[in-house]
Amino acid sequence: VFFFRGRTAKPVLMGKANAWGLRDVRSVVLTEAKTMYAGGISSFKTPQTFMQIHTMAYNTGTGLYSQTDWFTNSGFSFGISKLVLEEIGAPPTTSYLYYLKNQPQYTLNRLDVTIPVTSGSAVSPVTSPTVDSYISESMAISQGQVIVWGWTSTNMQFVDKTAMTITTTLTGSVSPGAFVMDNLNPDQIFLSRIASPYGLHRTIVDM
């Protein structure tokens, strides 16, 4: 995993973390406490684990990250296609990790990572019902809902981030490769169509 600065002058490289055993890493998040979670959909470790947990350190003098440790946890024994981190408070007092399973049953899970996961931690997430999109590259939180929508389904689903229940399923005819919400109007969503005829689309949803 490499860290890069965005929209800044060179050098852009901010550090890297070395590990092995996980392929097709689709999503990486870094907590304020400098714990990094990397989820993937292909593992060649035995037994198979699909989440790497990295302990990172940040040097305020150089502006660079370094890795101090990494490990896995047997509670992540299924493919993970997307991670979303929610940190509440400034500085954060509560941290939740939302992760989308890439294997049946296709569910969205929420795990309290206020205390960072260790190799021996019990992993006991709150789990949603089965969702339609098991790959959602742009899964995001907005107005108390986790929006799950990707190229494996034309249905856009809203999962209540507290109850972890599906509150709304909007049916449609387009599967997005990626989508982004208008930062001034979260009811407006722009998406790139994954299949022909390709193009940029805009849709309005009532959240």
Side-chain angles (χ1 to χ4, degrees), residues 95-136:
S95 300
Y96 292 115
L97 182 65
Y98 298 82
Y99 53 100
L100 187 61
K101 289 181 62 176
N102 187 58
Q103 296 173 1
Q105 298 286 332
Y106 302 120
T107 59
L108 175 65
N109 293 350
R110 185 191 72 218
L111 182 67
D112 189 332
V113 293
T114 306
I115 299 174
V117 176
T118 67
S119 59
S121 296
V123 176
S124 301
V126 181
T127 301
S128 77
T130 300
V131 294
D132 294 333
S133 293
Y134 55 87
I135 294 180
S136 178

Side-chain angles (χ1 to χ4, degrees), residues 158-207:
F158 299 84
V159 179
D160 184 286
K161 72 182 184 71
T162 302
M164 292 300 287
T165 55
I166 298 173
T167 60
T168 305
T169 297
L170 300 179
T171 60
S173 59
V174 176
S175 298
F179 68 85
V180 63
M181 288 169 288
D182 188 329
N183 63 320
L184 299 179
N185 177 13
D187 289 345
Q188 181 168 253
I189 296 178
F190 298 91
L191 63 124
S192 61
R193 185 170 182 154
I194 192 67
S196 178
Y198 309 105
L200 179 66
H201 296 248
R202 183 187 68 172
T203 185
I204 302 295
V205 297
D206 184 4
M207 297 183 62

Side-chain angles (χ1 to χ4, degrees), residues 47-127:
Q48 288 188 314
T49 55
F50 295 84
M51 181 90 81
Q52 293 176 347
I53 301 102
H54 300 257
T55 304
M56 307 299 296
Y58 180 68
N59 187 314
T60 57
T62 62
L64 300 178
Y65 287 90
S66 60
Q67 179 191 44
T68 60
D69 190 19
W70 79 275
F71 48 86
T72 59
N73 183 297
S74 61
F76 302 102
S77 58
F78 41 78
I80 297 172
S81 62
K82 182 63 178 178
L83 303 175
V84 171
L85 177 68
E86 179 187 31
E87 295 197 295
I88 302 169
T93 56
T94 306
S95 300
Y96 292 115
L97 182 65
Y98 298 82
Y99 53 100
L100 187 61
K101 289 181 62 176
N102 187 58
Q103 296 173 1
Q105 298 286 332
Y106 302 120
T107 59
L108 175 65
N109 293 350
R110 185 191 72 218
L111 182 67
D112 189 332
V113 293
T114 306
I115 299 174
V117 176
T118 67
S119 59
S121 296
V123 176
S124 301
V126 181
T127 301

